[in-house]
Amino acid sequence: MEKDRIIKQIAITERDIVDLVQSELYNTGLFEGLEEQEIKQLDTLASFELIQSYCDNNIETVLKGFKTGLDDMELEEFENWFGFDSEGYLKELKGLLE
């Protein structure tokens, strides 16, 4: 009898979520008008917990149903899947700079 073996496994970390959100905020122009140093500070202040607090849906629960990774996900899709309030999140993140 053959043992069950994993052929493909998708690992998504909390850091992957933070990196996705931060890069998508940048790519969509929501960081426009900020200095490079401010953007770096925002990246440092960003956390999975803060992102989760701006989502209507539990990120981990939703991800359990995913069949693929996050590689091609855009901000709009993240907002739809997780009920993410990107504007509220960004406003709070910028407030942490002060």
Side-chain angles (χ1 to χ4, degrees):
M1 184 165 132
E2 253 185 76
K3 291 183 180 179
D4 284 337
R5 62 187 178 99
I6 298 171
I7 295 174
K8 180 180 180 181
Q9 183 173 358
I10 300 169
I12 300 171
T13 66
E14 290 180 353
R15 185 77 234 169
D16 292 333
I17 299 295
V18 172
D19 290 345
L20 169 73
V21 168
Q22 293 302 108
S23 66
E24 284 303 311
L25 288 172
Y26 181 82
N27 291 340
T28 57
L30 291 174
F31 285 164
E32 200 169 291
L34 295 175
E35 300 290 326
E36 185 177 334
Q37 185 60 31
E38 290 176 308
I39 294 171
K40 286 180 182 179
Q41 286 179 301
L42 293 178
D43 286 342
T44 302
L45 294 169
S47 70
F48 177 80
E49 291 77 16
L50 183 59
I51 292 168
Q52 179 62 74
S53 73
Y54 280 89
C55 292
D56 292 335
N57 304 321
N58 182 282
I59 293 171
E60 189 174 343
T61 302
V62 173
L63 286 177
K64 286 180 181 180
F66 273 42
K67 304 289 186 226
T68 62
L70 300 175
D71 297 339
D72 296 326
M73 185 173 283
E74 295 181 3
L75 184 60
E76 185 177 324
E77 293 170 302
F78 193 86
E79 290 170 334
N80 289 334
W81 275 102
F82 302 103
F84 181 61
D85 175 9
S86 59
E87 291 179 12
Y89 167 77
L90 186 56
K91 183 177 180 179
E92 180 164 341
L93 199 57
K94 285 179 178 179
L96 293 174
L97 285 176
E98 300 169 0

